[in-house]
Amino acid sequence: MLSPEQARKVQSVVWEADLALGQQDYCLASQKMWDATALAIKFVAQGRGWPHSTFEEIYAAGRKIAGEQDDESAAESELNFAECHRANAQWKIFDDYEVVEDWDLAPGFIERVLGRPVRQIE
């Protein structure tokens, strides 16, 4: 769904999230993971002519993308989990250990958009 350049940009933000996690900056890690998810959604939305300027528009585009997946409910759950990282960055809704324990689940929606593991380099 994304061009190689777009995929690299999204991966770069995920790597920033991983770095923040390694530095135990859990709020920044959460923010970066949401940023990567939102960036992936924005690239798809832009290509399809969908609005993508506000959080609401990005989230709505993400729901459209989720609706196109073979397992729509899993994709929606992954999108919701990514949005929880946004909330964590703003309001600290997760305990630090929860961020760490669920970290490998965080890029699930991004991987659907990329069509491969987000940490896989082409």
Side-chain angles (χ1 to χ4, degrees):
M1 289 181 120
L2 302 185
S3 72
E5 180 180 331
Q6 290 171 327
R8 282 190 296 276
K9 287 180 181 179
V10 171
Q11 286 176 307
S12 177
V13 181
V14 171
W15 292 328
E16 291 173 11
D18 287 342
L19 181 61
L21 183 76
Q23 294 172 339
Q24 298 180 345
D25 189 340
Y26 303 112
C27 285
L28 180 60
S30 288
Q31 182 63 54
K32 290 292 185 177
M33 190 56 72
W34 169 253
D35 290 348
T37 304
L39 184 59
I41 293 168
K42 285 179 185 181
F43 284 142
V44 173
Q46 183 178 22
R48 295 181 181 187
W50 296 343
H52 57 279
S53 299
T54 66
F55 164 74
E56 290 79 12
E57 292 172 345
I58 292 166
Y59 196 75
R63 289 187 50 87
K64 287 181 184 180
I65 295 166
E68 297 171 353
Q69 304 302 307
D70 290 336
D71 190 346
E72 181 179 348
S73 64
E76 284 190 14
S77 292
E78 291 165 348
L79 176 61
N80 290 337
F81 188 68
E83 196 280 325
C84 285
H85 276 286
R86 176 182 171 271
N88 187 58
Q90 293 180 343
W91 301 294
K92 187 80 170 105
I93 64 169
F94 294 144
D95 288 328
D96 293 344
Y97 78 89
E98 292 174 299
V99 175
V100 174
E101 283 182 355
D102 294 334
W103 192 246
D104 288 336
L105 301 174
F109 191 80
I110 297 168
E111 291 178 350
R112 287 183 186 276
V113 174
L114 294 179
R116 61 183 165 77
V118 71
R119 293 175 181 98
Q120 176 182 326
I121 299 172
E122 287 189 340

PDB file of all heavy atoms in Angstrom, residues 19 37 43 46 54 65 73 81 88 92 95-96 118 122:
ATOM      1  N   LEU A  19      13.642   3.280  20.239  1.00  0.00           N
ATOM      2  CA  LEU A  19      14.740   3.935  20.959  1.00  0.00           C
ATOM      3  C   LEU A  19      14.234   4.566  22.255  1.00  0.00           C
ATOM      4  O   LEU A  19      14.847   4.414  23.313  1.00  0.00           O
ATOM      5  CB  LEU A  19      15.389   4.995  20.068  1.00  0.00           C
ATOM      6  CG  LEU A  19      16.562   5.758  20.669  1.00  0.00           C
ATOM      7  CD1 LEU A  19      17.711   4.818  21.017  1.00  0.00           C
ATOM      8  CD2 LEU A  19      17.038   6.836  19.710  1.00  0.00           C
ATOM      9  N   THR A  37       1.840   5.183  13.355  1.00  0.00           N
ATOM     10  CA  THR A  37       0.550   4.678  12.890  1.00  0.00           C
ATOM     11  C   THR A  37      -0.186   5.756  12.097  1.00  0.00           C
ATOM     12  O   THR A  37      -0.697   5.499  10.999  1.00  0.00           O
ATOM     13  CB  THR A  37      -0.313   4.213  14.084  1.00  0.00           C
ATOM     14  OG1 THR A  37       0.409   3.232  14.826  1.00  0.00           O
ATOM     15  CG2 THR A  37      -1.636   3.638  13.628  1.00  0.00           C
ATOM     16  N   PHE A  43      -0.531   8.496   4.734  1.00  0.00           N
ATOM     17  CA  PHE A  43      -0.042   8.167   3.395  1.00  0.00           C
ATOM     18  C   PHE A  43      -1.126   7.470   2.572  1.00  0.00           C
ATOM     19  O   PHE A  43      -1.316   7.773   1.400  1.00  0.00           O
ATOM     20  CB  PHE A  43       1.211   7.300   3.467  1.00  0.00           C
ATOM     21  CG  PHE A  43       2.466   8.044   3.825  1.00  0.00           C
ATOM     22  CD1 PHE A  43       3.407   7.457   4.652  1.00  0.00           C
ATOM     23  CD2 PHE A  43       2.730   9.311   3.336  1.00  0.00           C
ATOM     24  CE1 PHE A  43       4.589   8.112   4.988  1.00  0.00           C
ATOM     25  CE2 PHE A  43       3.898   9.992   3.658  1.00  0.00           C
ATOM     26  CZ  PHE A  43       4.831   9.390   4.484  1.00  0.00           C
ATOM     27  N   GLN A  46      -3.981  10.068   1.881  1.00  0.00           N
ATOM     28  CA  GLN A  46      -3.558  11.033   0.861  1.00  0.00           C
ATOM     29  C   GLN A  46      -3.664  10.412  -0.532  1.00  0.00           C
ATOM     30  O   GLN A  46      -4.179  11.039  -1.456  1.00  0.00           O
ATOM     31  CB  GLN A  46      -2.128  11.471   1.143  1.00  0.00           C
ATOM     32  CG  GLN A  46      -1.602  12.520   0.201  1.00  0.00           C
ATOM     33  CD  GLN A  46      -0.186  12.937   0.562  1.00  0.00           C
ATOM     34  OE1 GLN A  46       0.547  12.217   1.231  1.00  0.00           O
ATOM     35  NE2 GLN A  46       0.197  14.102   0.109  1.00  0.00           N
ATOM     36  N   THR A  54      -6.849  16.155  10.691  1.00  0.00           N
ATOM     37  CA  THR A  54      -7.098  16.150  12.131  1.00  0.00           C
ATOM     38  C   THR A  54      -7.039  14.729  12.674  1.00  0.00           C
ATOM     39  O   THR A  54      -7.092  13.754  11.908  1.00  0.00           O
ATOM     40  CB  THR A  54      -8.491  16.727  12.450  1.00  0.00           C
ATOM     41  OG1 THR A  54      -9.488  15.843  11.909  1.00  0.00           O
ATOM     42  CG2 THR A  54      -8.664  18.132  11.875  1.00  0.00           C
ATOM     43  N   ILE A  65      -9.537   1.742   6.511  1.00  0.00           N
ATOM     44  CA  ILE A  65      -8.491   0.771   6.179  1.00  0.00           C
ATOM     45  C   ILE A  65      -8.748  -0.541   6.906  1.00  0.00           C
ATOM     46  O   ILE A  65      -8.635  -1.618   6.321  1.00  0.00           O
ATOM     47  CB  ILE A  65      -7.091   1.335   6.518  1.00  0.00           C
ATOM     48  CG1 ILE A  65      -6.772   2.541   5.632  1.00  0.00           C
ATOM     49  CG2 ILE A  65      -6.020   0.256   6.382  1.00  0.00           C
ATOM     50  CD1 ILE A  65      -5.595   3.361   6.107  1.00  0.00           C
ATOM     51  N   SER A  73     -12.150  -7.149  12.488  1.00  0.00           N
ATOM     52  CA  SER A  73     -12.198  -6.905  13.935  1.00  0.00           C
ATOM     53  C   SER A  73     -10.793  -6.862  14.529  1.00  0.00           C
ATOM     54  O   SER A  73     -10.520  -6.043  15.407  1.00  0.00           O
ATOM     55  CB  SER A  73     -13.067  -7.938  14.643  1.00  0.00           C
ATOM     56  OG  SER A  73     -12.527  -9.224  14.538  1.00  0.00           O
ATOM     57  N   PHE A  81      -5.716  -0.041  19.748  1.00  0.00           N
ATOM     58  CA  PHE A  81      -4.541  -0.163  20.610  1.00  0.00           C
ATOM     59  C   PHE A  81      -3.535   0.940  20.292  1.00  0.00           C
ATOM     60  O   PHE A  81      -2.954   1.552  21.202  1.00  0.00           O
ATOM     61  CB  PHE A  81      -3.911  -1.549  20.448  1.00  0.00           C
ATOM     62  CG  PHE A  81      -2.815  -1.822  21.419  1.00  0.00           C
ATOM     63  CD1 PHE A  81      -3.087  -1.974  22.768  1.00  0.00           C
ATOM     64  CD2 PHE A  81      -1.510  -1.929  20.989  1.00  0.00           C
ATOM     65  CE1 PHE A  81      -2.071  -2.217  23.682  1.00  0.00           C
ATOM     66  CE2 PHE A  81      -0.486  -2.180  21.891  1.00  0.00           C
ATOM     67  CZ  PHE A  81      -0.771  -2.324  23.234  1.00  0.00           C
ATOM     68  N   ASN A  88      -1.969   7.388  26.010  1.00  0.00           N
ATOM     69  CA  ASN A  88      -0.938   7.208  27.031  1.00  0.00           C
ATOM     70  C   ASN A  88       0.061   8.363  27.004  1.00  0.00           C
ATOM     71  O   ASN A  88       0.490   8.838  28.055  1.00  0.00           O
ATOM     72  CB  ASN A  88      -0.211   5.878  26.851  1.00  0.00           C
ATOM     73  CG  ASN A  88       0.732   5.594  27.995  1.00  0.00           C
ATOM     74  OD1 ASN A  88       0.313   5.539  29.144  1.00  0.00           O
ATOM     75  ND2 ASN A  88       2.008   5.431  27.684  1.00  0.00           N
ATOM     76  N   LYS A  92      -1.087   9.408  30.305  1.00  0.00           N
ATOM     77  CA  LYS A  92      -0.444   8.339  31.073  1.00  0.00           C
ATOM     78  C   LYS A  92      -1.460   7.315  31.589  1.00  0.00           C
ATOM     79  O   LYS A  92      -1.628   7.089  32.777  1.00  0.00           O
ATOM     80  CB  LYS A  92       0.371   8.939  32.236  1.00  0.00           C
ATOM     81  CG  LYS A  92       1.218   7.951  32.992  1.00  0.00           C
ATOM     82  CD  LYS A  92       2.482   7.658  32.248  1.00  0.00           C
ATOM     83  CE  LYS A  92       3.437   6.856  33.103  1.00  0.00           C
ATOM     84  NZ  LYS A  92       3.511   5.472  32.736  1.00  0.00           N
ATOM     85  N   ASP A  95       0.471   1.826  32.901  1.00  0.00           N
ATOM     86  CA  ASP A  95       1.647   1.727  33.753  1.00  0.00           C
ATOM     87  C   ASP A  95       2.831   1.406  32.838  1.00  0.00           C
ATOM     88  O   ASP A  95       2.656   0.806  31.770  1.00  0.00           O
ATOM     89  CB  ASP A  95       1.480   0.609  34.789  1.00  0.00           C
ATOM     90  CG  ASP A  95       0.478   0.972  35.880  1.00  0.00           C
ATOM     91  OD1 ASP A  95       0.375   2.169  36.217  1.00  0.00           O
ATOM     92  OD2 ASP A  95      -0.190   0.047  36.385  1.00  0.00           O
ATOM     93  N   ASP A  96       4.033   1.769  33.267  1.00  0.00           N
ATOM     94  CA  ASP A  96       5.213   1.560  32.424  1.00  0.00           C
ATOM     95  C   ASP A  96       5.362   0.101  32.005  1.00  0.00           C
ATOM     96  O   ASP A  96       5.673  -0.194  30.847  1.00  0.00           O
ATOM     97  CB  ASP A  96       6.478   2.031  33.141  1.00  0.00           C
ATOM     98  CG  ASP A  96       6.498   3.538  33.339  1.00  0.00           C
ATOM     99  OD1 ASP A  96       5.701   4.248  32.674  1.00  0.00           O
ATOM    100  OD2 ASP A  96       7.310   4.007  34.147  1.00  0.00           O
ATOM    101  N   VAL A 118       7.040  -4.389  10.390  1.00  0.00           N
ATOM    102  CA  VAL A 118       7.511  -3.005  10.304  1.00  0.00           C
ATOM    103  C   VAL A 118       9.025  -2.889  10.501  1.00  0.00           C
ATOM    104  O   VAL A 118       9.655  -1.968   9.991  1.00  0.00           O
ATOM    105  CB  VAL A 118       6.752  -2.097  11.295  1.00  0.00           C
ATOM    106  CG1 VAL A 118       7.148  -2.379  12.722  1.00  0.00           C
ATOM    107  CG2 VAL A 118       6.943  -0.635  10.958  1.00  0.00           C
ATOM    108  N   GLU A 122      13.746  -3.551   3.612  1.00  0.00           N
ATOM    109  CA  GLU A 122      13.776  -4.028   2.212  1.00  0.00           C
ATOM    110  C   GLU A 122      15.000  -3.540   1.508  1.00  0.00           C
ATOM    111  O   GLU A 122      15.519  -2.509   1.743  1.00  0.00           O
ATOM    112  CB  GLU A 122      12.534  -3.554   1.458  1.00  0.00           C
ATOM    113  CG  GLU A 122      11.294  -4.297   1.877  1.00  0.00           C
ATOM    114  CD  GLU A 122      10.123  -3.975   0.979  1.00  0.00           C
ATOM    115  OE1 GLU A 122      10.115  -2.949   0.294  1.00  0.00           O
ATOM    116  OE2 GLU A 122       9.197  -4.776   0.965  1.00  0.00           O
TER     117      GLU A 122
END
